[in-house]
Amino acid sequence: DVKVTQSSRYLVKRTGEKVFLECVQDMDHENMFWYRQDPGLGLRLIYFSYDVKMKEKGDIPEGYSVSREKKERFSLILESASTNQTSMYLCASSSFGDTEAFFGQGTRLTVV
Amino acid sequence: QKEVEQNSGPLSVPEGAIASLNCTYSDRGSQSFFWYRQYSGKSPELIMSIYSNGDKEDGRFTAQLNKASQYVSLLIRDSQPSDSATYLCAVNGFQKLVFGTGTRLLVSP
């Protein structure tokens, strides 16, 4: 089975903190994604990566950055956390091409 | 116009009935289509994928695709209370998945 693991299930951070969300997949997938999910807005793509050290902006990249130094790991960075970044963050991975994505368990981030 | 549109629901059906969930998409070049199920507080779980026009059946689930009408649907036969969840339609374009906002399904005993 595909396994996508996110480093934290729940996280509480203070406004202005730098926050790191980590994601690791064990299926040698080329593509990795970060989404955030908010009530009524669905899943919105923040960033994605189709190869090591490659990244592409999604629909809502402002206030976020990403890092992919190894194929299996994709990190989301909140440079200076704000309360409007309180959300559920979901990492996903997929193989190259138009294939299905598999999700991690999600990180519920609260910024106070 | 949103790229992937779904009725937010809730769609309420009695146990044993057929639940019909619908999705439209805007990108005519899309080639891959997926249905995910998401229970409250959990992450999305893939239940069906479909790549060509027509029907695809897997157990109680049938996905239907009509590329000319840019329409994809999911039928759940013999609905069970455990099917109560939010169902997300996803469309693949340029290696990234675009999701609809989901339809909440409620199956009453």
Side-chain angles (χ1 to χ4, degrees):
Chain A
D1 281 353
V2 174
K3 188 131 187 212
V4 181
T5 304
Q6 295 181 228
S7 53
S8 303
R9 187 76 179 91
Y10 299 95
L11 212 51
V12 179
K13 295 292 182 181
R14 295 194 180 278
T15 301
E17 275 193 79
K18 190 169 186 176
V19 181
F20 293 86
L21 302 182
E22 308 283 346
C23 176
V24 177
Q25 51 95 5
D26 67 357
M27 284 303 291
D28 201 35
H29 283 167
E30 291 79 12
N31 302 328
M32 295 189 75
F33 310 86
W34 276 106
Y35 292 88
R36 65 177 281 179
Q37 187 173 33
D38 302 287
L41 297 178
L43 279 154
R44 294 181 291 168
L45 183 64
I46 304 171
Y47 268 97
F48 68 102
S49 168
Y50 52 86
D51 200 354
V52 176
K53 297 191 185 293
M54 304 300 287
K55 61 185 179 184
E56 293 284 341
K57 292 181 180 179
D59 300 317
I60 51 164
E62 297 78 17
Y64 303 95
S65 62
V66 291
S67 172
R68 193 167 181 199
E69 297 296 319
K70 293 184 177 182
K71 190 175 185 180
E72 67 271 19
R73 188 179 297 270
F74 192 35
S75 302
L76 179 70
I77 303 152
L78 285 66
E79 298 291 343
S80 177
S82 64
T83 54
N84 63 12
Q85 292 178 311
T86 291
S87 186
M88 170 71 93
Y89 289 86
L90 290 158
C91 174
S93 72
S94 70
S95 57
F96 185 80
D98 291 340
T99 62
E100 63 269 22
F102 297 90
F103 284 85
Q105 76 276 30
T107 296
R108 185 164 293 281
L109 172 68
T110 302
V111 182
V112 297
Chain B
Q1 182 190 4
K2 289 184 181 177
E3 293 182 70
V4 180
E5 296 212 45
Q6 296 180 256
N7 188 317
S8 61
L11 173 66
S12 295
V13 300
E15 184 175 356
I18 295 175
S20 177
L21 304 158
N22 304 313
C23 171
T24 59
Y25 60 94
S26 60
D27 184 0
R28 283 198 171 274
S30 300
Q31 297 295 321
S32 309
F33 308 86
F34 308 95
W35 283 99
Y36 287 80
R37 177 176 61 200
Q38 187 175 26
Y39 293 113
S40 181
K42 302 292 187 182
S43 60
E45 169 194 14
L46 180 71
I47 53 172
M48 289 288 285
S49 59
I50 187 165
Y51 301 92
S52 55
N53 280 330
D55 294 0
K56 179 182 177 182
E57 187 174 318
D58 183 1
R60 295 186 297 113
F61 299 98
T62 299
Q64 299 174 316
L65 175 61
N66 184 325
K67 289 186 179 180
S69 300
Q70 296 175 245
Y71 177 91
V72 58
S73 65
L74 179 71
L75 300 177
I76 306 175
R77 289 182 300 281
D78 189 24
S79 295
Q80 300 296 310
S82 58
D83 294 326
S84 297
T86 296
Y87 289 80
L88 302 169
C89 173
V91 176
N92 203 320
F94 302 107
Q95 299 203 69
K96 63 174 185 177
L97 276 179
V98 179
F99 286 83
T101 53
T103 298
R104 187 171 169 221
L105 174 65
L106 297 174
V107 182
S108 54

